[in-house]
Amino acid sequence: MMKSIAALWIVACAGSTHADKAPAEARVEDRSVSIAWGPAVSDLRLGLSVDGTSVVFHLENVGKAKLEVWSHVATHETHLDWYALQLVHNGNARELRFVDDRNRSAPIKATLDPGAQLSHKVDVAAWAARAANNSQPLAPGSYTATATYEVTDGPVWHGKLTSGPIALTIPTK
């Protein structure tokens, strides 16, 4: 009986996204959103869309065969080790990363069928203010944002992708 309860708890926790604790995460599958796609590399492409002060990273398999990719890192919240966001505001460039302190973690691999997408939504303003990104909140105003996804290890797709640019607006508080 205790083994059954423990197994059920493990399965329940594995499916949790901790969205109430994490300023980054959540898969989105809304295909009506305008996505700024970058060029495909080895049948995979990266796109970027905006949702308020959040951005959504989109990976899409544009080939004819299944692709295995690194999706995210599961920890107490979702980390996106292979993603970066480049922001330009008033001629000044800044790069944000979506990795923070963690004690235990596991990289999560996803299989993308031809035409399938994998997406992650990230609260840019919240991540910019974290110590991992030098604790520098974003100034109000208009930004141009592009994303990169780079994988150099593991039993998955390898390469570097760049999205198309999007406009991101940080409102005055």
Side-chain angles (χ1 to χ4, degrees):
M1 176 72 170
M2 288 303 283
K3 287 183 182 178
S4 297
I5 292 172
L8 181 59
W9 184 81
I10 289 169
V11 169
C13 288
S16 173
T17 61
H18 300 284
D20 59 325
K21 297 179 183 174
E25 56 191 300
R27 291 177 187 228
V28 287
E29 298 294 334
D30 184 356
R31 299 249 179 175
S32 66
V33 171
S34 178
I35 301 171
W37 293 105
V41 174
S42 301
D43 295 333
L44 189 64
R45 69 178 179 167
L46 176 65
L48 191 62
S49 62
V50 66
D51 182 7
T53 60
S54 295
V55 297
V56 182
F57 300 112
H58 305 267
L59 287 178
E60 183 178 41
N61 179 350
V62 295
K64 296 184 184 327
K66 291 182 179 187
L67 287 176
E68 291 196 337
V69 299
W70 287 130
S71 171
H72 63 282
V73 174
T75 182
H76 65 284
E77 63 183 354
T78 297
H79 288 177
L80 303 174
D81 291 31
W82 305 278
Y83 297 83
L85 187 68
Q86 295 75 38
L87 298 169
V88 178
H89 174 65
N90 294 335
N92 298 312
R94 180 173 177 195
E95 181 175 90
L96 299 181
R97 304 296 298 196
F98 305 96
V99 178
D100 212 337
D101 291 338
R102 56 190 184 215
N103 292 323
R104 293 188 293 179
S105 62
I108 305 299
K109 183 170 48 171
T111 301
L112 294 178
D113 290 327
Q117 285 187 22
L118 170 73
S119 301
H120 292 284
K121 185 175 181 178
V122 176
D123 183 330
V124 177
W127 273 96
R130 285 183 167 208
N133 286 307
N134 297 318
S135 303
Q136 296 288 322
L138 295 176
S142 298
Y143 291 78
T144 300
T146 55
T148 55
Y149 173 80
E150 185 170 16
V151 177
T152 58
D153 63 340
V156 295
W157 176 95
H158 288 134
K160 183 175 182 179
L161 301 172
T162 303
S163 74
I166 61 165
L168 174 68
T169 301
I170 303 299
T172 303
K173 292 185 179 183

